[in-house]
Amino acid sequence: MVLISSIPFLMFGAVSANAGSACGGASWYALHSRTASGERMNPSALTAAHRTLPLGSRVKVTNQRNGKTVVVRINDRGPFIRGRVLDLSKGAANRLGFVGAGHTNICMARL
């Protein structure tokens, strides 16, 4: 019986992971080069890099240290550092309140 009641929970977790929900580290970057989407990086825009989400996806990001949230658009690929799930634009990092620290712990959910 316990196994049967835990199956829906496991299935929900798998759906949630596929839908772009995750927690982990995030950092910010402010380059002026082209992104994976082909657009020029705008450091003040609310954008982010993610390894696998489709370009153009919108993601709600919550800073776990202070509770601040922002919605960003995925327009680049990365991060390439273990433990990090997003690289955010400087504008998004500023809204989340971690520009000075350089990195923080976040949770994200695809919208």
Side-chain angles (χ1 to χ4, degrees):
M1 283 241 169
V2 174
L3 181 60
I4 293 171
S5 66
S6 66
I7 290 173
F9 176 76
L10 293 174
M11 289 174 59
F12 177 77
V15 170
S16 182
N18 290 337
S21 297
C23 294
S27 57
W28 64 268
Y29 68 119
L31 305 174
H32 292 283
S33 58
R34 297 255 177 221
T35 65
S37 66
E39 64 191 272
R40 186 164 300 281
M41 169 67 174
N42 177 355
S44 61
L46 300 179
T47 58
H50 187 271
R51 289 182 194 94
T52 60
L53 283 176
L55 297 174
S57 297
R58 293 171 48 85
V59 178
K60 181 178 179 182
V61 182
T62 303
N63 184 337
Q64 294 298 288
R65 294 183 180 163
N66 62 20
K68 293 182 179 183
T69 65
V70 67
V71 174
V72 298
R73 180 176 50 88
I74 304 298
N75 73 337
D76 206 0
R77 294 293 175 219
F80 302 107
I81 296 176
R82 185 185 304 174
R84 294 197 182 154
V85 294
L86 279 180
D87 274 340
L88 294 153
S89 64
K90 186 175 182 181
N94 189 45
R95 293 261 183 109
L96 291 171
F98 76 93
V99 170
H103 58 88
T104 193
N105 293 320
I106 59 99
C107 284
M108 60 176 232
R110 185 172 173 193
L111 299 177

